[in-house]
Amino acid sequence: MTETDSDECGCTGDVQRAEQDPAYRRALWIVVALNLGFGLFEAVGGFVADSQALKADALDFIGDGSITLIGVLALAWSARTRSRVALTQGIFLGALGLGVIGFAVWRSFNAAVPEAGMMGGIAVLALIVNVVAALVLMRFREGDANVSAIWLFSRNDAIANVGVIIAAALVAWTGSAWPDLAVAGIIALIFLHSAYLIIRRALVELRAPDISVQTNAAS
């Protein structure tokens, strides 16, 4: 997509425009506040409800908020630095996914049935928060790896929340902890898939010739 195409479609996610667009910075700060604030709330709720899916989702919220904060700071950095940051984001997300899977496997040996009502209620609130965040970022979803990473985080959170709501209903219906553990595992797989996409794109950008260096050499 060229800068002209971006202007015509109303997408302001290309990196040059994002660096100068106050609306993009405001959107990122809104997402940071939503993710960190609700992540802490959901973490407490996950322990109270004894829900592994809520804990996994809370970890996702906190991780996304922290990474989006880095994304705000990265707007002032060079394109190659942004790609390195995106690579770090992808590795971090992959580590979260592996950690959640490991913890879910460990909990499966002594799984307790979570409080389905509280689990479902918090998951509905989390879905609302993530939908708001995704809508805030939707017009900025096209851009470099860093911009795409932030969009993917918010979109995947909303998908994961739907899974937690379904798990809460299944826990209430079956009286078993397995739906909770299964959804925690699914959230982890979403982590890993997004991590793969972000890392792959960041590596492509890092392997590309440095345009600024070429321009300076030509001049």
Side-chain angles (χ1 to χ4, degrees), residues 42-65:
E42 189 177 27
V44 174
F47 280 100
V48 173
D50 201 14
S51 167
Q52 303 313 307
L54 283 182
K55 293 174 185 176
D57 196 48
L59 186 63
D60 189 24
F61 265 106
I62 295 171
D64 290 359

Side-chain angles (χ1 to χ4, degrees), residues 130-207:
N130 275 317
V131 168
V132 171
L135 290 175
V136 168
L137 290 173
M138 183 173 292
R139 60 192 285 253
F140 304 106
R141 67 186 181 276
E142 300 295 338
D144 65 5
N146 190 272
V147 175
S148 298
I150 294 170
W151 159 252
L152 278 171
F153 290 151
S154 295
R155 184 203 68 180
N156 290 346
D157 284 350
I159 296 172
N161 292 144
V162 174
V164 178
I165 293 170
I166 294 173
L170 290 175
V171 168
W173 180 41
T174 64
S176 169
W178 284 104
D180 179 54
L181 295 173
V183 169
I186 291 172
I187 292 174
L189 292 178
I190 293 174
F191 288 177
L192 295 177
H193 178 67
S194 294
Y196 166 74
L197 294 177
I198 294 164
I199 291 171
R200 184 180 66 177
R201 182 164 183 176
L203 289 175
V204 169
E205 292 178 0
L206 287 171
R207 289 169 184 153

Side-chain angles (χ1 to χ4, degrees), residues 63-141:
D64 290 359
S66 301
I67 290 174
T68 305
L69 178 60
I70 297 174
V72 178
L73 302 176
L75 290 177
W77 301 341
S78 68
R80 192 162 292 276
T81 301
R82 279 193 300 269
S83 296
R84 293 191 184 101
V85 170
L87 179 61
T88 303
Q89 291 173 334
I91 294 172
F92 177 70
L93 191 62
L96 284 179
L98 293 175
V100 169
I101 289 175
F103 192 72
V105 171
W106 177 77
R107 285 288 293 177
S108 67
F109 293 104
N110 56 349
V113 179
E115 174 56 50
M118 180 179 295
M119 178 182 171
I122 294 175
V124 169
L125 292 177
L127 177 61
I128 294 172
V129 170
N130 275 317
V131 168
V132 171
L135 290 175
V136 168
L137 290 173
M138 183 173 292
R139 60 192 285 253
F140 304 106
R141 67 186 181 276

